[in-house]
Amino acid sequence: MANPLKDFVVPYTKGTVIFTEGDAGAEMFVIQTGSVEISRSINGEKRFQRTLEKGDFFGEMSLLEGLP
């Protein structure tokens, strides 16, 4: 059976920044394989927040609230 979501799959290589805090968002991301590290910049210093893995999602709040 073909994957009905194949047109929406975007592969990212390790180390790629998907978006930065404050960027305008118009997408929601669902992790299919691998993991994504979430971090914030606090006083110019990168601070680790959490790791998301297969099945986790992020970016949904920008879609729901229309905010970055």
Side-chain angles (χ1 to χ4, degrees), residues 2-68:
N3 181 351
L5 300 177
K6 69 178 174 58
D7 293 337
F8 300 100
V9 174
V10 178
Y12 291 94
T13 57
K14 184 176 182 174
T16 300
V17 175
I18 298 172
F19 67 83
T20 303
E21 185 176 7
D23 287 352
E27 295 109 0
M28 176 178 159
F29 300 88
V30 179
I31 302 169
Q32 297 295 303
T33 62
S35 61
V36 172
E37 179 181 290
I38 305 295
S39 61
R40 297 182 82 166
S41 178
I42 301 174
N43 296 326
E45 184 178 324
K46 180 180 172 181
R47 300 270 179 103
F48 171 79
Q49 298 290 302
R50 73 181 128 223
T51 300
L52 302 177
E53 298 178 335
K54 182 179 178 177
D56 291 332
F57 56 90
F58 59 99
E60 75 284 0
M61 294 309 291
S62 65
L63 292 177
L64 296 173
E65 296 181 354
L67 300 171

